[in-house]
Amino acid sequence: MSTPIHDQPWRERTRRVIFEADTPAGKAFDVVLLVLIVGSVLLVMVESVRDVQARNAGVLSILEWVVTIAFTVEYVARLATAERPIRYARSFFGVIDLLALLPVYLEVIAPGSGAQSLLVVRSLRLLRVFRVFKMAQFLREANLLLVAFRSSTRKILVFLLTVLLINVIVGSTMYVIEGAANGFDSMFRGVYWSIVTMSTVGFGDIAPQTAVGQVLAAALMIVGYSVIAVPTGIVSADVVNARRDQREARSCATCGLADHSPEAEFCQRCGAALPDRG
Protein backbone atom coordinates (compact mmCIF):
# COMPACT_ATOMS: atom_id res chain seq x y z
CA MET A 1 0.00 0.00 0.00
CA SER A 2 1.50 3.33 -1.05
CA THR A 3 1.98 6.12 1.45
CA PRO A 4 -0.43 9.08 1.02
CA ILE A 5 1.23 12.07 -0.56
CA HIS A 6 0.62 14.24 2.51
CA ASP A 7 2.56 11.74 4.65
CA GLN A 8 5.55 11.55 2.30
CA PRO A 9 8.72 13.57 2.88
CA TRP A 10 8.91 17.03 1.32
CA ARG A 11 11.40 15.81 -1.28
CA GLU A 12 9.02 13.15 -2.58
CA ARG A 13 6.07 15.54 -2.57
CA THR A 14 8.09 18.12 -4.48
CA ARG A 15 9.32 15.50 -6.93
CA ARG A 16 5.76 14.41 -7.74
CA VAL A 17 4.70 18.00 -8.32
CA ILE A 18 7.68 18.74 -10.59
CA PHE A 19 8.12 15.50 -12.52
CA GLU A 20 4.60 14.06 -12.64
CA ALA A 21 1.33 15.39 -14.00
CA ASP A 22 -1.08 12.88 -12.46
CA THR A 23 -2.01 15.18 -9.57
CA PRO A 24 -3.79 18.56 -9.66
CA ALA A 25 -0.70 20.23 -8.21
CA GLY A 26 1.59 18.57 -10.76
CA LYS A 27 -0.58 19.51 -13.71
CA ALA A 28 -0.96 23.08 -12.45
CA PHE A 29 2.82 23.34 -12.08
CA ASP A 30 3.39 22.16 -15.65
CA VAL A 31 0.72 24.44 -17.09
CA VAL A 32 2.25 27.46 -15.31
CA LEU A 33 5.67 26.34 -16.57
CA LEU A 34 4.42 26.13 -20.15
CA VAL A 35 2.90 29.61 -19.91
CA LEU A 36 6.22 30.90 -18.55
CA ILE A 37 8.11 29.22 -21.40
CA VAL A 38 5.82 30.76 -24.02
CA GLY A 39 6.22 34.16 -22.37
CA SER A 40 10.01 33.85 -22.29
CA VAL A 41 10.18 32.93 -25.99
CA LEU A 42 7.96 35.88 -26.89
CA LEU A 43 10.18 38.09 -24.74
CA VAL A 44 13.27 37.03 -26.68
CA MET A 45 11.47 37.73 -29.97
CA VAL A 46 10.35 41.16 -28.77
CA GLU A 47 13.91 41.99 -27.74
CA SER A 48 15.03 41.38 -31.32
CA VAL A 49 12.99 44.42 -32.47
CA ARG A 50 15.46 47.29 -32.16
CA ASP A 51 12.93 50.07 -31.62
CA VAL A 52 11.17 48.16 -28.83
CA GLN A 53 14.51 47.22 -27.30
CA ALA A 54 15.70 50.83 -27.35
CA ARG A 55 12.53 52.21 -25.70
CA ASN A 56 12.02 49.46 -23.10
CA ALA A 57 15.50 48.13 -22.43
CA GLY A 58 15.16 48.40 -18.65
CA VAL A 59 11.77 46.67 -18.42
CA LEU A 60 12.81 43.90 -20.81
CA SER A 61 16.00 43.30 -18.84
CA ILE A 62 14.07 42.98 -15.57
CA LEU A 63 11.56 40.58 -17.13
CA GLU A 64 14.38 38.50 -18.59
CA TRP A 65 16.05 38.17 -15.22
CA VAL A 66 12.75 37.26 -13.54
CA VAL A 67 12.22 34.47 -16.05
CA THR A 68 15.85 33.31 -15.80
CA ILE A 69 15.75 33.19 -12.01
CA ALA A 70 12.47 31.26 -12.12
CA PHE A 71 13.97 28.73 -14.53
CA THR A 72 17.12 28.51 -12.42
CA VAL A 73 15.10 27.70 -9.29
CA GLU A 74 13.13 25.12 -11.26
CA TYR A 75 16.30 23.48 -12.63
CA VAL A 76 17.92 23.31 -9.18
CA ALA A 77 14.68 21.87 -7.75
CA ARG A 78 14.65 19.19 -10.43
CA LEU A 79 18.25 18.26 -9.64
CA ALA A 80 17.52 18.19 -5.89
CA THR A 81 14.39 16.05 -6.11
CA ALA A 82 15.14 13.74 -9.06
CA GLU A 83 15.59 10.08 -8.19
CA ARG A 84 18.74 10.05 -10.33
CA PRO A 85 20.00 13.64 -10.68
CA ILE A 86 22.86 12.74 -13.04
CA ARG A 87 20.50 10.83 -15.29
CA TYR A 88 18.12 13.80 -15.43
CA ALA A 89 20.99 16.23 -16.12
CA ARG A 90 22.11 14.09 -19.10
CA SER A 91 18.60 13.51 -20.44
CA PHE A 92 17.15 15.44 -23.38
CA PHE A 93 14.98 17.66 -21.21
CA GLY A 94 17.77 18.10 -18.68
CA VAL A 95 20.13 19.44 -21.33
CA ILE A 96 17.42 21.70 -22.77
CA ASP A 97 16.59 23.03 -19.28
CA LEU A 98 20.25 23.90 -18.78
CA LEU A 99 20.63 25.50 -22.21
CA ALA A 100 17.62 27.68 -21.42
CA LEU A 101 19.65 29.28 -18.60
CA LEU A 102 23.21 29.50 -19.86
CA PRO A 103 22.84 32.29 -22.47
CA VAL A 104 21.82 34.91 -19.89
CA TYR A 105 24.71 34.06 -17.57
CA LEU A 106 27.14 33.89 -20.50
CA GLU A 107 26.02 37.37 -21.56
CA VAL A 108 26.88 38.61 -18.05
CA ILE A 109 30.33 37.00 -18.17
CA ALA A 110 31.02 38.07 -21.77
CA PRO A 111 28.92 41.15 -22.66
CA GLY A 112 28.25 41.67 -26.33
CA SER A 113 28.86 38.03 -27.23
CA GLY A 114 25.34 37.65 -28.57
CA ALA A 115 24.73 34.55 -26.46
CA GLN A 116 21.41 35.93 -25.25
CA SER A 117 19.89 35.46 -28.70
CA LEU A 118 20.25 31.70 -28.15
CA LEU A 119 17.47 31.88 -25.57
CA VAL A 120 15.04 30.89 -28.28
CA VAL A 121 16.11 27.32 -27.45
CA ARG A 122 13.57 27.63 -24.64
CA SER A 123 10.89 26.91 -27.21
CA LEU A 124 12.06 23.27 -27.18
CA ARG A 125 10.78 23.01 -23.64
CA LEU A 126 7.26 23.26 -25.03
CA LEU A 127 7.65 19.58 -25.90
CA ARG A 128 6.56 18.96 -22.32
CA VAL A 129 3.03 19.64 -23.51
CA PHE A 130 2.83 15.99 -24.64
CA ARG A 131 3.29 14.84 -21.06
CA VAL A 132 1.10 17.47 -19.46
CA PHE A 133 -1.97 16.87 -21.58
CA LYS A 134 -1.50 13.10 -21.93
CA MET A 135 -1.19 13.14 -25.72
CA ALA A 136 -0.24 9.46 -25.93
CA GLN A 137 -2.34 8.94 -29.03
CA PHE A 138 -0.36 11.65 -30.84
CA LEU A 139 2.89 9.97 -29.82
CA ARG A 140 1.62 6.66 -31.26
CA GLU A 141 0.80 8.38 -34.54
CA ALA A 142 4.22 10.04 -34.55
CA ASN A 143 5.83 6.63 -34.04
CA LEU A 144 3.76 5.29 -36.96
CA LEU A 145 5.05 8.11 -39.17
CA LEU A 146 8.63 7.42 -38.03
CA VAL A 147 8.29 3.76 -39.01
CA ALA A 148 7.01 4.84 -42.43
CA PHE A 149 9.95 7.21 -42.94
CA ARG A 150 12.43 4.49 -42.01
CA SER A 151 10.94 2.02 -44.46
CA SER A 152 10.93 4.60 -47.27
CA THR A 153 14.45 5.92 -46.68
CA ARG A 154 16.04 4.11 -49.64
CA LYS A 155 13.26 5.08 -52.03
CA ILE A 156 13.53 8.73 -51.02
CA LEU A 157 17.32 8.65 -51.38
CA VAL A 158 16.98 7.27 -54.91
CA PHE A 159 14.42 9.97 -55.68
CA LEU A 160 16.70 12.73 -54.31
CA LEU A 161 19.65 11.39 -56.29
CA THR A 162 17.55 11.46 -59.46
CA VAL A 163 16.45 15.04 -58.75
CA LEU A 164 20.07 16.04 -58.12
CA LEU A 165 21.21 14.55 -61.43
CA ILE A 166 18.41 16.37 -63.28
CA ASN A 167 19.46 19.66 -61.69
CA VAL A 168 23.12 19.15 -62.55
CA ILE A 169 22.31 18.30 -66.18
CA VAL A 170 19.80 21.13 -66.65
CA GLY A 171 21.98 23.65 -64.80
CA SER A 172 25.02 22.79 -66.89
CA THR A 173 22.97 22.97 -70.08
CA MET A 174 21.59 26.36 -69.10
CA TYR A 175 25.14 27.59 -68.49
CA VAL A 176 26.04 26.61 -72.04
CA ILE A 177 22.88 28.15 -73.52
CA GLU A 178 22.76 31.45 -71.61
CA GLY A 179 26.37 32.09 -70.63
CA ALA A 180 27.82 34.71 -68.30
CA ALA A 181 26.17 37.56 -70.20
CA ASN A 182 22.77 36.53 -68.82
CA GLY A 183 23.96 35.83 -65.27
CA PHE A 184 24.97 32.17 -65.67
CA ASP A 185 28.65 32.80 -65.02
CA SER A 186 29.42 29.25 -63.84
CA MET A 187 27.92 25.79 -63.82
CA PHE A 188 27.40 26.14 -60.06
CA ARG A 189 25.21 29.19 -60.72
CA GLY A 190 23.32 27.17 -63.32
CA VAL A 191 22.71 24.32 -60.87
CA TYR A 192 21.58 26.83 -58.25
CA TRP A 193 19.07 28.30 -60.73
CA SER A 194 17.88 24.80 -61.64
CA ILE A 195 17.24 23.84 -58.00
CA VAL A 196 15.39 27.08 -57.30
CA THR A 197 13.30 26.69 -60.45
CA MET A 198 12.50 23.01 -59.94
CA SER A 199 11.43 23.62 -56.34
CA THR A 200 8.97 26.25 -57.71
CA VAL A 201 10.47 28.87 -55.39
CA GLY A 202 11.64 31.09 -58.24
CA PHE A 203 13.66 33.88 -56.61
CA GLY A 204 13.94 35.69 -59.94
CA ASP A 205 17.53 36.79 -59.33
CA ILE A 206 18.59 34.86 -62.45
CA ALA A 207 16.36 34.26 -65.45
CA PRO A 208 17.00 32.91 -68.95
CA GLN A 209 16.88 35.47 -71.76
CA THR A 210 17.12 33.31 -74.85
CA ALA A 211 14.19 31.44 -76.39
CA VAL A 212 15.87 28.05 -75.96
CA GLY A 213 16.66 28.82 -72.34
CA GLN A 214 13.09 29.86 -71.63
CA VAL A 215 11.74 26.66 -73.18
CA LEU A 216 14.10 24.62 -71.01
CA ALA A 217 13.04 26.62 -67.96
CA ALA A 218 9.35 25.99 -68.71
CA ALA A 219 10.00 22.26 -69.06
CA LEU A 220 11.88 22.23 -65.76
CA MET A 221 9.00 24.02 -64.01
CA ILE A 222 6.54 21.41 -65.25
CA VAL A 223 8.85 18.64 -64.04
CA GLY A 224 9.10 20.43 -60.70
CA TYR A 225 5.33 20.31 -60.22
CA SER A 226 5.23 16.63 -61.07
CA VAL A 227 8.03 15.54 -58.72
CA ILE A 228 6.39 17.18 -55.70
CA ALA A 229 3.93 14.30 -55.51
CA VAL A 230 6.58 11.56 -55.63
CA PRO A 231 7.91 11.66 -52.03
CA THR A 232 4.38 12.25 -50.76
CA GLY A 233 3.19 9.09 -52.51
CA ILE A 234 6.15 7.07 -51.23
CA VAL A 235 5.63 8.06 -47.60
CA SER A 236 1.84 7.72 -47.83
CA ALA A 237 2.13 4.15 -49.13
CA ASP A 238 4.52 3.23 -46.32
CA VAL A 239 2.21 4.84 -43.74
CA VAL A 240 -0.63 2.64 -45.02
CA ASN A 241 1.60 -0.44 -44.84
CA ALA A 242 2.78 0.44 -41.34
CA ARG A 243 -0.79 0.95 -40.14
CA ARG A 244 -1.84 -2.36 -41.70
CA ASP A 245 1.06 -4.14 -40.00
CA GLN A 246 0.10 -2.51 -36.71
CA ARG A 247 -3.49 -3.68 -37.09
CA GLU A 248 -2.48 -7.21 -38.09
CA ALA A 249 -0.04 -7.48 -35.20
CA ARG A 250 -2.88 -7.33 -32.65
CA SER A 251 -4.70 -10.61 -33.14
CA CYS A 252 -7.41 -11.89 -30.84
CA ALA A 253 -6.19 -14.88 -28.83
CA THR A 254 -9.73 -16.29 -28.64
CA CYS A 255 -11.06 -16.18 -32.21
CA GLY A 256 -7.92 -15.25 -34.13
CA LEU A 257 -9.32 -12.12 -35.79
CA ALA A 258 -6.39 -9.88 -36.78
CA ASP A 259 -7.97 -6.78 -38.28
CA HIS A 260 -8.24 -4.47 -35.26
CA SER A 261 -7.69 -0.73 -35.00
CA PRO A 262 -4.74 0.44 -32.86
CA GLU A 263 -7.15 2.00 -30.33
CA ALA A 264 -9.28 -1.14 -29.84
CA GLU A 265 -9.14 -2.87 -26.45
CA PHE A 266 -11.60 -5.69 -27.18
CA CYS A 267 -12.12 -7.98 -30.17
CA GLN A 268 -14.79 -6.67 -32.52
CA ARG A 269 -15.95 -10.24 -33.26
CA CYS A 270 -16.05 -12.06 -29.92
CA GLY A 271 -15.50 -9.26 -27.40
CA ALA A 272 -12.45 -10.84 -25.76
CA ALA A 273 -9.71 -8.56 -24.41
CA LEU A 274 -6.95 -7.89 -26.92
CA PRO A 275 -3.24 -8.17 -26.01
CA ASP A 276 -1.40 -5.02 -25.04
CA ARG A 277 -0.05 -2.86 -27.86
CA GLY A 278 3.45 -3.49 -26.51
Side-chain angles (χ1 to χ4, degrees), residues 92-204:
F92 172 78
F93 281 115
V95 173
I96 294 300
D97 291 344
L98 180 60
L99 291 178
L101 305 172
L102 288 181
V104 175
Y105 295 113
L106 289 176
E107 188 69 21
V108 174
I109 297 174
S113 62
Q116 198 166 5
S117 60
L118 298 176
L119 284 173
V120 74
V121 75
R122 289 175 177 172
S123 60
L124 293 177
R125 303 191 72 195
L126 290 172
L127 293 173
R128 294 183 184 275
V129 70
F130 288 100
R131 184 177 68 87
V132 175
F133 297 108
K134 305 291 185 181
M135 295 184 178
Q137 65 273 22
F138 293 97
L139 293 177
R140 286 198 298 270
E141 295 300 326
N143 183 65
L144 182 68
L145 187 59
L146 180 61
V147 171
F149 272 120
R150 286 176 177 173
S151 61
S152 60
T153 299
R154 292 184 179 180
K155 303 172 189 174
I156 293 178
L157 287 177
V158 172
F159 166 74
L160 291 177
L161 179 60
T162 303
V163 170
L164 179 61
L165 291 175
I166 292 175
N167 284 317
V168 171
I169 294 172
V170 173
S172 301
T173 304
M174 189 62 74
Y175 165 73
V176 174
I177 295 173
E178 296 291 329
N182 293 326
F184 294 83
D185 52 3
S186 69
M187 287 188 179
F188 290 107
R189 184 62 64 89
V191 172
Y192 157 78
W193 169 88
S194 178
I195 294 173
V196 171
T197 303
M198 186 180 231
S199 63
T200 70
V201 176
F203 291 134

Side-chain angles (χ1 to χ4, degrees), residues 5-16 77 80-81:
I5 189 171
H6 296 293
D7 297 333
Q8 295 174 357
W10 69 270
R11 186 174 180 273
E12 178 62 18
R13 292 201 301 269
T14 306
R15 186 193 68 79
R16 288 194 60 182
T81 59

Side-chain angles (χ1 to χ4, degrees), residues 9-273:
W10 69 270
R11 186 174 180 273
E12 178 62 18
R13 292 201 301 269
T14 306
R15 186 193 68 79
R16 288 194 60 182
V17 170
I18 294 177
F19 285 96
E20 300 179 12
D22 58 350
T23 62
K27 179 167 290 188
F29 174 83
D30 284 341
V31 170
V32 171
L33 179 61
L34 289 176
V35 172
L36 190 61
I37 293 170
V38 172
S40 67
V41 173
L42 291 175
L43 182 62
V44 174
M45 296 174 68
V46 169
E47 287 179 340
S48 66
V49 181
R50 294 186 178 181
D51 293 339
V52 177
Q53 169 68 21
R55 292 196 303 265
N56 305 280
V59 175
L60 294 175
S61 178
I62 293 174
L63 291 175
E64 185 58 60
W65 274 108
V66 169
V67 172
T68 301
I69 292 173
F71 283 158
T72 302
V73 172
E74 180 224 350
Y75 181 73
V76 173
R78 288 183 183 274
L79 286 177
T81 59
E83 294 180 354
R84 298 180 180 179
I86 301 299
R87 182 175 180 180
Y88 159 71
R90 293 178 177 178
S91 67
F92 172 78
F93 281 115
V95 173
I96 294 300
D97 291 344
L98 180 60
L99 291 178
L101 305 172
L102 288 181
V104 175
Y105 295 113
L106 289 176
E107 188 69 21
V108 174
I109 297 174
S113 62
Q116 198 166 5
S117 60
L118 298 176
L119 284 173
V120 74
V121 75
R122 289 175 177 172
S123 60
L124 293 177
R125 303 191 72 195
L126 290 172
L127 293 173
R128 294 183 184 275
V129 70
F130 288 100
R131 184 177 68 87
V132 175
F133 297 108
K134 305 291 185 181
M135 295 184 178
Q137 65 273 22
F138 293 97
L139 293 177
R140 286 198 298 270
E141 295 300 326
N143 183 65
L144 182 68
L145 187 59
L146 180 61
V147 171
F149 272 120
R150 286 176 177 173
S151 61
S152 60
T153 299
R154 292 184 179 180
K155 303 172 189 174
I156 293 178
L157 287 177
V158 172
F159 166 74
L160 291 177
L161 179 60
T162 303
V163 170
L164 179 61
L165 291 175
I166 292 175
N167 284 317
V168 171
I169 294 172
V170 173
S172 301
T173 304
M174 189 62 74
Y175 165 73
V176 174
I177 295 173
E178 296 291 329
N182 293 326
F184 294 83
D185 52 3
S186 69
M187 287 188 179
F188 290 107
R189 184 62 64 89
V191 172
Y192 157 78
W193 169 88
S194 178
I195 294 173
V196 171
T197 303
M198 186 180 231
S199 63
T200 70
V201 176
F203 291 134
D205 52 345
I206 306 175
Q209 303 299 320
T210 65
V212 177
Q214 291 171 355
V215 170
L216 182 58
L220 186 62
M221 293 174 196
I222 295 174
V223 173
Y225 281 114
S226 63
V227 301
I228 290 176
V230 175
T232 304
I234 293 174
V235 176
S236 298
D238 284 317
V239 167
V240 172
N241 292 334
R243 186 177 293 277
R244 185 188 62 232
D245 294 340
Q246 187 181 52
R247 291 169 68 94
E248 293 176 350
R250 303 187 65 226
S251 301
C252 176
T254 302
C255 67
L257 183 65
D259 189 20
H260 294 95
S261 66
E263 294 79 14
E265 296 182 0
F266 299 94
C267 177
Q268 61 188 24
R269 175 189 292 171
C270 66

